[in-house]
Amino acid sequence: MFSVVQLPHFVEQKLAEIALREGYMQGSYRIEQETCSGKGFIGQLVRVSISEPDKRTLALVCKFPPQDGVERERYNCMVLFEREILVYREILPEFERIQLEYGLGRDSSEGFWNYPKCYWASYDEKRQESVLIMEDLGGRKLQTKDCFVPLDFEHSHLLMQVLGKMTACSFALREKKPEVFTKIRKLNDLLSSVVMTTDRMKPLSRSNCELAASIFQEPNELHIRDKFLSLRDGIWEKTRVLMDSDKAEPYGAFTHGDCWTNNIMFGYDPITKSPNEILLLDFQMARYSTPVLDFLGCFNQCGEVSLRRERLTELLETFYSSFATTFRKFGGDPESSFPYEAIEQQMCRFGMQTVAMGTYCIPILAQLKPDFFEDSERNRKCETHRAQWERYEQMMRDLVRDTERFDDL
């Protein structure tokens, strides 16, 4: 049963337009709403049902910025909404057009259609209004995984296939429609700037680096401790320099930019329970960068350690095979445009970005509670926080070990 919640007037207006556009008769349909469980990181999510007697029900999700101006400023919400709206209005439609031109329809196994259907996307900076209205994926029985349970090989394998196809579409636009690809080139790195400037996140940089440094106290680890301490006042400034899009050339592409468990939905085979469908969500951090960062960041933050120590080659081959198969559908030469050997080179050049992200994400993924930080030196020894601290320590050690071969920040 839906409970009624207040939607902004501009969202209500657009829902009425969508209802008429989808064939519902004015005055005869009902719009019911309920707040989605939890609250979006940069906005509010409301589930909407449009129904009319003897007609199908149209299930939608509306995503819009917080109505409180202070809250919007706190997270730079409008900047992030502007980026996501741009992706849905201009980038993904270009992916769709070029795929259809080359026969990669929605039913094609080689096509990249792994994102929600968008009914409306708008952004008005002057009015401070923005809304994204998408299909409600609940009816398709898709679900997000528990972000505290690491991704296993099956889920990661499916993700690599999709990222490979997305990269192929990007390279196809680069070569076939360079004037369109210019739109993608303009997608700068928002992640670093948001972390450096938002009131909620900026203070965390120093404390997170100090927390990571405190783990490495053995004589043979002091260089790691000193490295984290040297980064505490400038880790994201250095990351922004590292992420300069020109450094990704000639392999720059459209990337999701925030590819982790909460931004991925999976569908499952009803009999085997194995994942057989995947959608990417939340493109607010999408950018022009190296393709390797989407999967490298996901595996280093959210994946089982065995993925990057025992099965990384297998996963890289999955990504490249998927990329090559789809790129050839566009008449491209994968070995010339993005050779397999370039993946390792790009990982080494850009991989330390995942360490910067780890200083922010791992305290969350280890479930360190807010009161832990009131006295972290004492609380890490308390039984109340022991399990979470041990998990944090192991995750940070694993991250440092598995990124040792990457170039420095």
Side-chain angles (χ1 to χ4, degrees), residues 114 137 142-146 151 155-156 158-160 162-163 256 258-268 277-282 294 298-299 302:
N114 306 84
L137 299 169
L142 297 172
Q143 56 188 283
T144 55
K145 281 183 57 63
D146 185 344
L151 283 178
H155 291 84
S156 302
L158 195 57
L159 174 63
M160 291 297 260
V162 168
L163 292 178
H256 182 279
D258 194 18
C259 189
W260 73 296
T261 313
N262 272 16
N263 291 338
I264 306 170
M265 296 191 79
F266 292 97
Y268 297 87
E277 188 175 1
I278 179 173
L279 289 187
L280 303 180
L281 311 174
D282 294 345
D294 277 340
C298 187
F299 296 158
C302 308

Side-chain angles (χ1 to χ4, degrees), residues 146-161:
D146 185 344
C147 68
F148 301 120
V149 177
L151 283 178
D152 60 16
F153 179 81
E154 274 194 308
H155 291 84
S156 302
H157 183 263
L158 195 57
L159 174 63
M160 291 297 260
Q161 291 177 324

Side-chain angles (χ1 to χ4, degrees), residues 40-230:
F41 176 64
I42 66 163
Q44 296 174 324
L45 299 174
V46 175
R47 181 171 285 116
V48 174
S49 171
I50 303 177
S51 60
E52 187 178 16
D54 302 322
K55 281 197 173 184
R56 65 182 175 86
T57 295
L58 182 61
L60 304 171
V61 169
C62 300
K63 180 178 180 180
F64 50 90
Q67 297 305 287
D68 184 291
V70 174
E71 191 74 4
R72 286 199 302 270
E73 290 292 327
R74 194 178 192 184
Y75 290 107
N76 274 344
C77 289
M78 295 308 292
V79 172
L80 298 175
F81 263 89
E82 181 181 22
R83 176 59 54 86
E84 186 162 30
I85 296 303
L86 175 67
V87 169
Y88 273 99
R89 285 181 67 92
E90 299 188 31
I91 306 301
L92 294 178
E94 295 291 357
F95 278 19
E96 294 175 4
R97 276 189 277 272
I98 194 169
Q99 288 185 97
L100 293 174
E101 288 176 19
Y102 284 84
L104 295 174
R106 291 184 179 272
D107 59 346
S108 169
S109 60
E110 292 93 1
F112 171 65
W113 301 88
N114 306 84
Y115 46 87
K117 179 180 179 180
C118 178
Y119 286 83
W120 183 255
S122 63
Y123 174 83
D124 189 323
E125 183 178 11
K126 184 176 181 181
R127 293 176 178 269
Q128 290 287 285
E129 294 177 353
S130 185
V131 62
L132 184 61
I133 302 177
M134 303 169 289
E135 64 174 313
D136 185 348
L137 299 169
R140 292 171 59 177
K141 298 184 178 179
L142 297 172
Q143 56 188 283
T144 55
K145 281 183 57 63
D146 185 344
C147 68
F148 301 120
V149 177
L151 283 178
D152 60 16
F153 179 81
E154 274 194 308
H155 291 84
S156 302
H157 183 263
L158 195 57
L159 174 63
M160 291 297 260
Q161 291 177 324
V162 168
L163 292 178
K165 290 185 286 187
M166 184 175 77
T167 301
C169 290
S170 187
F171 271 77
L173 286 176
R174 171 195 280 269
E175 297 188 4
K176 306 295 183 180
K177 299 187 177 184
E179 73 287 353
V180 172
F181 191 70
T182 301
K183 298 178 183 179
I184 296 176
R185 287 185 184 274
K186 293 178 180 178
L187 300 180
N188 64 317
D189 172 30
L190 286 185
L191 175 63
S192 300
S193 60
V194 166
V195 174
M196 288 190 297
T197 58
T198 53
D199 293 340
R200 186 68 176 269
M201 300 173 73
K202 185 177 180 180
L204 295 176
S205 298
R206 184 179 182 86
S207 60
N208 283 339
C209 284
E210 290 176 346
L211 187 67
S214 69
I215 295 173
F216 302 97
Q217 299 297 328
E218 296 298 321
N220 64 332
E221 301 176 332
L222 296 183
H223 66 289
I224 303 174
R225 178 202 65 184
D226 293 344
K227 183 61 180 178
F228 276 115
L229 292 178
S230 71

Side-chain angles (χ1 to χ4, degrees), residues 38 83 100 133 166 207 265 271 308-309 341 348 376 388:
R83 176 59 54 86
L100 293 174
I133 302 177
M166 184 175 77
S207 60
M265 296 191 79
I271 298 176
R308 49 200 207 243
R309 293 186 181 172
E341 295 74 20
C348 289
S376 62
Q388 291 82 3

